[in-house]
Amino acid sequence: MSDEFYNRGLEKAKQKDYAGAIEEFNRALQVTPYFPEAYFQRGLAYYDSGEIIQAVSDYTEALKLNPESMEAYYSRALARVALKNLPGALEDVERAIRLNSNYAAAYSLRGIVRRKQGYIHDAIANFKKAAELYLAQKDKENCRLCLERIKQLQPPDKPTVQQSNSPTVTIKSEKEYFTQLLDKAEKGDTREAIEDLNWVLKADPQDAQAYCCRGVVRCKMGDYQSAIADFNQALKLNFQDAIVYRNRGKARYLLGDYQGAIADFNTALQIQPQDALVYVARGNAYRAMSNYLGAIQDYSQALQINPEDAQAYYNRGIAHTLLEEMQQASEDYQKAASIFLEKEDWENYQQVLNSLNKIHKSLPETKNHKYNLLRQRLLRLVGGQWEIAQRLIQQKKDYFPQMPEEWYMQKVITELERDRGN
């Protein structure tokens, strides 16, 4: 008899006659008081009719009779969210996940709870897990809903938030998210970056930006053919993206396909004629083909767009060196070194100094040139702090008066290098 009342209650709930459904479940429980499914379904009917506290009470009774009901834990968590009992909701949803580690809806709900508690990183991780599970279940609608929730948590202007037991983090926009992945790859963690991008593309195979980003990471890994395949796919989805042409051109250049690279750079410049990076890249391709004048023209164009482009100065210096125009090369190298120094980019700074030293013997030994070289070496040794260098020079002047300026600088350099074991 209780089953008959129970089934009638289910039918009325399907018809959204929640009051009628509750009445039928009441009758079922009068006949069979220990009926966990009747409590659970009556709880759902109470929830749908807006009587949240009664719903929580019924879910609790259902769990007393059946502690292994993940649906009851999930439903009570949902009701507790509505009542703003976030700790109770979190406890329930975690029990549901322990009962079923593939419970996609529970991960999504835990993401909602963590977001409300302010733990954005945890929320994103839960939405990501839910999206993966929904994708495996071929539930594209809920998968995309989770992806949208992730995007909503990543607005450009979102302030920093404090994670539990973790440092302050900044919520990223979608563009910044891909930038973060590229930074991760730049630091050597290419495997994790590729895994994240594979997940993005599995969830949304039409994401052109993700294909481009994965192509860039594959370039960093030296897998240029696969990178080009990714860039090709990105261009199928968006053939007017200058950044993709620029990066595909770089991949072709690295494979030795200089003509193909130049064709890509030309297309990129048609779309975005003020991209200094493309001019530098095309200049490198021209230089590889021994077209040094064409390379210098491109580097100069890049510098018109961005006068502080150290790479453009450095590469133009290389082209001048190949034309045996040593004075022009020296001027470009010194300018590049100065910019790298200001940015505290010590690796590129040292590379430029090495290039300067190689052409030094072929240059006329002038006082100004020698002074500049010594100054650059001294700045490198004092971490770019010229005030420190001046104090050290003044100390030498106090002990050894009336010596040439270059003598004092060389003296300080020699002692610093000796003290550091150089």
Side-chain angles (χ1 to χ4, degrees):
M1 191 67 176
S2 61
D3 286 345
E4 182 179 343
F5 292 133
Y6 175 76
N7 290 329
R8 286 210 300 250
L10 292 178
E11 188 61 33
K12 288 183 180 293
K14 285 183 182 179
Q15 297 169 3
K16 299 186 179 180
D17 178 7
Y18 302 122
I22 290 169
E23 185 177 347
E24 294 297 337
F25 293 134
N26 287 341
R27 291 173 179 170
L29 287 166
Q30 286 173 1
V31 176
T32 308
Y34 303 104
F35 194 166
E37 281 301 312
Y39 279 111
F40 175 64
Q41 292 296 334
R42 190 174 69 176
L44 294 178
Y46 274 131
Y47 182 87
D48 288 334
S49 60
E51 299 181 60
I52 309 301
I53 294 176
Q54 292 91 329
V56 170
S57 178
D58 270 356
Y59 297 143
T60 301
E61 290 300 320
L63 285 166
K64 287 178 182 178
L65 297 169
N66 180 13
E68 301 299 307
S69 175
M70 63 181 182
E71 293 89 354
Y73 278 119
Y74 172 82
S75 298
R76 191 171 69 175
L78 198 61
R80 283 176 164 173
V81 169
L83 293 172
K84 299 184 179 179
N85 178 5
L86 298 181
L90 183 62
E91 183 179 349
D92 277 346
V93 78
E94 288 183 344
R95 286 180 178 176
I97 290 171
R98 284 198 293 271
L99 289 167
N100 181 359
S101 60
N102 292 319
Y103 198 168
Y107 285 104
S108 180
L109 181 56
R110 188 165 66 176
I112 291 171
V113 174
R114 298 305 275 169
R115 181 192 66 195
K116 288 180 178 291
Q117 291 179 321
Y119 300 124
I120 306 302
H121 184 271
D122 289 349
I124 291 174
N126 276 283
F127 288 136
K128 181 177 178 181
K129 178 63 175 178
E132 290 174 346
L133 292 170
Y134 281 130
L135 188 67
Q137 296 163 14
K138 299 183 179 180
D139 186 343
K140 292 185 178 179
E141 183 177 349
N142 277 313
C143 177
R144 288 188 178 277
L145 178 61
C146 288
L147 293 175
E148 286 302 317
R149 283 173 172 161
I150 291 171
K151 289 181 181 180
Q152 289 169 10
L153 290 175
Q154 299 173 330
D157 300 326
K158 191 75 173 179
T160 59
V161 296
Q162 186 71 27
Q163 306 299 325
S164 58
N165 301 320
S166 65
T168 300
V169 298
T170 302
I171 305 308
K172 303 291 185 181
S173 67
E174 184 177 11
K175 180 179 179 181
E176 289 171 324
Y177 172 70
F178 286 120
T179 302
Q180 187 181 53
L181 290 180
L182 292 176
D183 288 342
K184 186 184 294 185
E186 192 70 38
K187 293 174 183 176
D189 196 356
T190 52
R191 179 179 177 180
E192 186 174 343
I194 287 290
E195 287 177 354
D196 284 348
L197 288 163
N198 287 343
W199 175 82
V200 171
L201 288 167
K202 188 176 181 182
D204 184 3
Q206 303 302 308
D207 193 331
Q209 192 173 2
Y211 280 112
C212 180
C213 189
R214 192 172 69 177
V216 172
V217 176
R218 282 175 164 169
C219 274
K220 293 181 185 298
M221 298 169 68
D223 188 1
Y224 305 123
Q225 293 287 6
S226 296
I228 289 173
D230 273 342
F231 296 136
N232 290 343
Q233 188 62 36
L235 289 171
K236 286 181 182 178
L237 297 167
N238 180 10
F239 70 94
Q240 285 293 315
D241 193 332
I243 294 175
V244 180
Y245 282 109
R246 183 182 74 201
N247 282 292
R248 190 175 70 174
K250 288 182 178 179
R252 286 177 165 175
Y253 165 80
L254 291 167
L255 280 173
D257 179 12
Y258 304 131
Q259 291 288 3
I262 289 171
D264 273 345
F265 297 142
N266 290 342
T267 304
L269 288 170
Q270 289 173 4
I271 300 169
Q272 179 51 267
Q274 294 301 306
D275 190 339
L277 294 174
V278 179
Y279 282 107
V280 173
R282 192 174 69 177
N284 291 341
Y286 280 137
R287 195 179 76 220
M289 297 173 67
S290 300
N291 183 358
Y292 305 132
L293 293 178
I296 289 171
Q297 184 177 356
D298 268 356
Y299 299 139
S300 299
Q301 184 63 39
L303 289 166
Q304 286 185 18
I305 298 169
N306 179 14
E308 296 301 310
D309 190 335
Q311 288 292 347
Y313 281 112
Y314 176 60
N315 283 289
R316 192 171 70 177
I318 294 174
H320 280 304
T321 301
L322 292 168
L323 287 172
E324 299 184 12
E325 298 170 347
M326 299 308 180
Q327 189 60 48
Q328 295 95 319
S330 176
E331 292 171 2
D332 276 343
Y333 287 149
Q334 290 186 51
K335 182 63 177 178
S338 176
I339 296 171
F340 284 133
L341 183 66
E342 289 175 8
K343 295 180 177 179
E344 298 184 357
D345 184 345
W346 302 122
E347 182 178 353
N348 279 314
Y349 175 78
Q350 188 60 53
Q351 185 178 27
V352 175
L353 285 189
N354 292 340
S355 297
L356 264 173
N357 290 333
K358 287 179 181 178
I359 67 170
H360 175 62
K361 293 181 181 180
S362 62
L363 288 169
E365 187 70 15
T366 65
K367 180 178 180 181
N368 185 57
H369 176 68
K370 184 177 180 180
Y371 175 84
N372 285 335
L373 287 175
L374 290 170
R375 188 176 188 276
Q376 296 284 1
R377 286 178 63 193
L378 181 52
L379 275 170
R380 177 70 176 88
L381 289 168
V382 297
Q385 303 296 319
W386 184 241
E387 296 81 2
I388 296 175
Q390 287 179 313
R391 287 200 296 271
L392 295 172
I393 290 170
Q394 187 58 50
Q395 290 174 6
K396 298 305 173 191
K397 288 182 176 180
D398 292 340
Y399 282 105
F400 308 100
Q402 298 182 346
M403 299 297 289
E405 188 71 17
E406 290 82 358
W407 187 90
Y408 295 117
M409 294 176 72
Q410 184 62 64
K411 184 75 173 173
V412 172
I413 289 169
T414 300
E415 292 184 2
L416 287 174
E417 291 180 341
R418 180 198 63 203
D419 292 343
R420 297 178 187 185
N422 293 344

